[in-house]
Every structure is written in C-alpha cells, then in structure tokens.
Amino acid sequence: MRRLLIWLPLAAFLLLLGVAIRGIVSPGERAVRSALIGQPVPLLKIDPLFEGRPGIDSDALATGEPILLNLFASWCVPCIAEAPQLMKLKEEGVPIYGVAVRDTPEEMRRFLNENGDPYTAIGDDRTSQVSIALGASGVPETYVIDGQGRIVKQHIGYIGSQDMDELRKALEAAE
C-alpha cells in the first residue's frame, strides 16, 4: 500500500496537467448568448446617430420582412472585417439596421466613408443600454429579426464570408 501512495502526487499532477491541456486545446464556448432568441425585440427607441437620418424604433423593426440588426463601432477592428459582407447583403436587398455602440458621429462618418454604409438607419447607443437590453456580449454582433419583430438568430462576432450562407438561410427561414 505504501508503494501506491508514493505514486499519488504524480497521478494528481498528471490529472491536473490533463485538465489544463484540455482547457487550452478545447476552450469551449465563451460567448454569452442572448436570452431573447425567439422573443420580440425589446421596446427600443434609439435616437439617430446622424441628423437627417432615422434612428431605430422597435416597432419599425416589425416590417413584415426579415431584417438584420447589427451592433458595431468605428473603434472595432472586427467591424471593419465584416463590412464587405454587410455591403453584399445590402446589395442582395437585405435591410440592415445599425446600432453604433459607444461612438461619436464624427468617428462613425469616417468609418462609413472608409468601409461603406449598408445601413437603412443607425441608432446611437453611447451608453450601451441598447446592447444590454438585447443581451449582447460585445461588438460586432448581429441579430436576424423576423417580419413580426422577433429575434430568431444571434450572430456573435464579425460576419465573415464563411458565415454568409448561414445568415442567408436564417433570413429565408425568418420570412
């Protein structure tokens, strides 16, 4: 029995090493999913970011057709990476509403001039209250909203070319 106890510290070390390696190799899901999937968009009235352009009203999001609601910011590097995909979706006729998170009109104008402007309307979320209401975990984040104004899909992170088919399918299913 004493011989077995000699190996106990080594066995404990190997067990901890195995757990650590598993955590490094397969870290698991770290994103926070919105609890609003399948629920109506919370009552939102978001002031416009720019004078002369519309803001966002949750009633206006129930247009009878599926739309995208994209949370983004000029200071967000992944938002630059997803801009070409959003422009493609706009060209395909997808209405895209933007929520500018913790941003300024001046910086957002620069961002849109450099990366394109796919947005039907842009709301101003300087205090992140809209992000919190939607259960967002950061920017960029995109929601597919069906014609009745219900959130049917949440896409966390930037939209890459590899995500386009999945988003198109979600938009088709949301009709």
Side-chain angles (χ1 to χ4, degrees):
M1 182 71 176
R2 287 185 99 185
R3 285 186 170 183
L4 289 176
L5 289 176
I6 292 173
W7 295 101
L8 188 60
L10 180 61
F13 172 75
L14 291 175
L15 179 66
L16 288 175
L17 182 65
V19 169
I21 289 173
R22 184 168 187 246
I24 291 170
V25 172
S26 178
E29 182 70 48
R30 297 200 188 268
V32 177
R33 300 275 172 202
S34 174
L36 298 176
I37 303 299
Q39 304 293 317
V41 173
L43 293 176
L44 302 173
K45 181 159 180 51
I46 312 168
D47 292 334
L49 182 65
F50 302 120
E51 191 174 310
R53 285 188 70 169
I56 300 173
D57 184 325
S58 55
D59 291 338
L61 298 178
T63 62
E65 64 178 324
I67 64 167
L68 291 181
L69 181 64
N70 177 247
L71 279 61
F72 73 113
S74 66
W75 44 264
C76 163
V77 174
C79 296
I80 295 170
E82 78 172 356
Q85 278 65 247
L86 292 176
M87 291 303 292
K88 285 180 190 172
L89 290 168
K90 177 187 177 187
E91 290 169 9
E92 294 171 13
V94 176
I96 305 171
Y97 290 76
V99 176
V101 179
R102 295 190 176 267
D103 222 317
T104 65
E106 298 78 25
E107 287 300 312
M108 189 52 67
R109 274 191 191 89
R110 180 195 52 77
F111 177 86
L112 296 172
N113 285 335
E114 292 175 1
N115 301 294
D117 182 358
Y119 301 104
T120 302
I122 301 176
D124 185 0
D125 187 23
R126 290 188 198 194
T127 60
S128 297
Q129 292 303 306
V130 175
S131 301
I132 292 168
L134 289 168
S137 57
V139 292
E141 197 158 309
T142 303
Y143 297 86
V144 177
I145 299 173
D146 71 9
Q148 288 73 48
R150 286 187 309 257
I151 298 172
V152 295
K153 180 173 179 51
Q154 176 188 26
H155 180 89
I156 297 174
Y158 82 98
I159 298 170
S161 59
Q162 72 279 2
D163 303 312
M164 294 292 278
D165 288 341
E166 184 180 327
L167 274 176
R168 288 180 182 117
K169 286 178 186 173
L171 287 162
E172 286 176 22
E175 288 184 10

